[in-house]
Amino acid sequence: IQLTKTYNEQTFRDDLKRLFVQVGERNRRTVFLLNETQLIDESFFEYLNQILSNGFVSTLFTDEVSRRSVESR
């Protein structure tokens, strides 16, 4: 994650989407390394909590995108 002045929740969601596509669809081993200075918005914690608790973020992808991803495997 590269923080910029315009980095916000939507940008974080987009980064998470790219991460899940890389790991899930492309089957690439990946390390997601994040430090506390990068958690600039409280909503980031909610997403990270879902990942740690469930292994995914339920609201990250639409049902259609999720279904296509599963069908393509």
Side-chain angles (χ1 to χ4, degrees):
I1 292 178
Q2 295 293 323
L3 293 181
T4 63
K5 289 181 180 181
T6 60
Y7 199 89
N8 58 23
E9 181 181 356
Q10 184 59 50
T11 313
F12 187 66
R13 287 176 57 90
D14 293 341
D15 283 342
L16 288 177
K17 286 179 184 180
R18 279 192 292 279
L19 172 73
F20 278 96
V21 167
Q22 179 175 315
V23 171
E25 290 183 4
R26 298 184 184 140
N27 201 24
R28 289 194 179 150
R29 292 180 181 222
T30 303
V31 174
F32 181 63
L33 185 61
L34 190 67
N35 67 47
E36 63 188 46
T37 62
Q38 293 172 301
L39 299 171
I40 58 173
D41 189 305
E42 194 170 307
S43 64
F44 295 5
F45 288 99
E46 295 174 28
Y47 294 111
L48 293 174
N49 186 43
Q50 285 188 45
I51 293 169
L52 294 172
S53 298
N54 307 318
F56 63 93
V57 179
S58 60
T59 59
L60 198 58
F61 295 101
T62 64
D63 290 340
E64 177 65 26
V65 171
S66 296
R67 188 172 56 250
R68 279 186 294 169
S69 177
V70 170
E71 290 172 354
S72 69
R73 294 186 98 207

